[in-house]
Amino acid sequence: MSDELVFYTHPMSRGRIIRWMLEEVGQPYRTEVLEYGTTMKAPEYLAINPMGKVPAITHGDVAVTEAGAICAYLADAFPQAELAPPPGSRMRAPYYRWLFFAAGPIEQAASSKAMGWEAPPEGRATVGYGCLDDVLNAIETALSGREYVAGDRFTAADLYLGSHLGWGMQFGTLEKRPVFEAYVARLQARPAAIRATEIDDALAARLQPQAEPTA
């Protein structure tokens, strides 16, 4: 069985999270760029991700979708990169906690705000994330006085959490707080994060429609 890593993405998508993760992993991978509404919905790709969305990866004959799941899978598939606490370690608890917190409450709260909706106070008990302030306060408490969210070193939980915070603050769906800004700045200064951004920025520039020359 081939163990080739194939990365399905678009540079203006959550695929940027996985590009960063792949650069942290440091293993060879091949990139397949898909377009919205066309190749993302083609039968060949729907066989990999029936949602017709990016990102996704294949690793040999295994397909993984959902950015949080891809981060967790890659961290475990390539333990030499040390992007997850060892199995059985007590540090797996905060690692899982904040990885899934980013995939659940943060994603939901930020998306709801972007759509202009938030549960009224009487309905918050039925909404998984409660309210956006609760989500942000929980993250701020977790990050206050520490460099990383799940121990004393960088993990995939930081990559995933930091990506959500950076994206949300950039586009105004998450409040800028000093703790968040300092945390994201530290993470974005990592060599793998810089490489990933350069790759996707260059790819996005190539995909932009070229303006018609003027007379």
Side-chain angles (χ1 to χ4, degrees):
M1 181 190 78
S2 169
D3 286 331
E4 182 185 28
L5 265 174
V6 184
F7 171 42
Y8 300 87
T9 189
H10 187 283
M12 300 306 295
S13 76
R14 290 174 178 82
R16 283 181 173 251
I17 300 172
I18 304 309
R19 174 79 70 186
W20 179 8
M21 185 68 187
L22 287 163
E23 291 298 314
E24 292 281 359
V25 165
Q27 295 295 310
Y29 65 93
R30 176 166 59 85
T31 301
E32 292 285 342
V33 178
L34 304 179
E35 293 290 346
Y36 290 101
T38 56
T39 48
M40 278 188 211
K41 302 298 184 182
E44 295 81 4
Y45 184 63
L46 292 177
I48 295 168
N49 185 1
M51 290 285 288
K53 297 171 71 70
V54 293
I57 64 166
T58 54
H59 185 203
D61 62 357
V62 171
V64 190
T65 67
E66 312 316 313
I70 297 170
C71 287
Y73 174 84
L74 289 172
D76 285 346
F78 301 100
Q80 64 272 26
E82 298 185 335
L83 294 169
S89 163
R90 291 179 64 84
M91 296 315 298
R92 278 267 171 167
Y95 169 75
Y96 282 138
R97 176 184 180 182
W98 295 108
L99 193 62
F100 283 90
F101 193 86
I106 297 175
E107 174 82 20
Q108 294 171 32
S111 296
S112 294
K113 178 171 183 180
M115 297 294 107
W117 181 86
E118 188 170 20
E122 65 274 13
R124 289 174 183 171
T126 64
V127 178
Y129 64 85
C131 68
L132 182 58
D133 281 344
D134 287 347
V135 171
L136 297 181
N137 291 339
I139 303 168
E140 185 170 22
T141 299
L143 292 176
S144 293
R146 58 192 315 168
E147 289 195 29
Y148 304 115
V149 75
D152 59 2
R153 62 180 179 83
F154 175 84
T155 68
D158 293 296
L159 187 152
Y160 193 47
L161 174 61
S163 294
H164 276 286
L165 289 177
W167 191 270
M169 289 190 295
Q170 180 181 355
F171 291 99
T173 55
L174 296 179
E175 176 188 343
K176 291 182 178 180
R177 299 186 181 184
V179 170
F180 301 163
E181 292 179 307
Y183 176 65
V184 170
R186 285 195 301 275
L187 301 185
Q188 290 180 345
R190 293 178 62 82
I194 294 170
R195 285 197 306 273
T197 297
E198 290 174 348
I199 292 168
D200 276 328
D201 284 352
L203 183 56
R206 290 201 301 272
L207 292 177
Q208 288 294 324
Q210 298 297 311
E212 292 293 331
T214 57

